[in-house]
Amino acid sequence: MEVINTSGRRKTSVARIYMTAGQGNITINGKDIKAYFPDEVLQTIVNQPFQTLELIGKYDVTANLKGGGVSGQAEALRLAISKALVVENAETKSALRKEGFVTRDPRMVERKKFGKRKARRSFQFSKR
């Protein structure tokens, strides 16, 4: 198997991955997954496509993550891994789509408007 190169995005996070056949090592920005995502929940999010297809320990993933926070990065990495698994075997797409791993989540933070405190929140009003 050759190297499969895909990318995934979530909020402002971008994940670029290189997936090869291997022992299940996941390296993110030069660190092991347990060092980069110490939280067990985030590690589970990243491994969900492998768990769905029962392929844990079959592929090595090298990832470059950029931008956003930790949860956005984990979900961007999950999307990139799902896309790579679909490139490897197109028959897995229906199982991954059923779990919602193939669709890019389009939600982004709404921009702040002038005359407002946040995107929609106004300043406090008083009648004095």
Side-chain angles (χ1 to χ4, degrees):
M1 176 186 145
E2 74 285 351
V3 177
I4 297 174
N5 179 13
T6 57
S7 65
R9 299 175 65 183
R10 171 76 169 100
K11 293 187 177 180
T12 57
S13 302
V14 179
R16 296 177 297 139
I17 71 159
Y18 306 93
M19 192 170 83
T20 58
Q23 286 81 38
N25 300 324
I26 299 178
T27 309
I28 304 164
N29 293 350
K31 297 180 183 177
D32 186 56
I33 186 170
K34 289 181 172 64
Y36 196 85
F37 292 130
D39 189 7
E40 195 70 34
V41 174
L42 298 174
Q43 293 175 28
T44 305
I45 287 172
V46 171
N47 285 314
Q48 278 176 333
F50 294 127
Q51 290 172 346
T52 303
L53 302 175
E54 296 169 359
L55 294 173
I56 294 175
K58 299 247 181 5
Y59 295 101
D60 286 344
V61 176
T62 304
N64 296 319
L65 288 178
K66 203 166 114 177
V70 288
S71 65
Q73 286 185 348
E75 292 181 25
L77 185 54
R78 178 177 71 183
L79 175 62
I81 290 170
S82 300
K83 286 165 75 174
L85 290 170
V86 169
V87 169
E88 172 66 20
N89 184 1
E91 295 168 5
T92 62
K93 187 171 185 175
S94 61
L96 291 171
R97 172 143 340 257
K98 197 172 100 177
E99 297 294 325
F101 299 152
V102 184
T103 307
R104 195 248 198 243
D105 192 345
R107 295 176 294 172
M108 298 285 281
V109 176
E110 190 174 349
R111 78 171 194 87
K112 183 196 175 302
K113 279 78 170 188
F114 57 88
K116 298 277 187 177
R117 205 171 87 185
K118 292 173 77 176
R120 297 184 182 206
R121 171 91 163 89
S122 297
F123 293 106
Q124 184 171 344
F125 180 77
S126 92
K127 286 187 175 182
R128 286 189 179 183

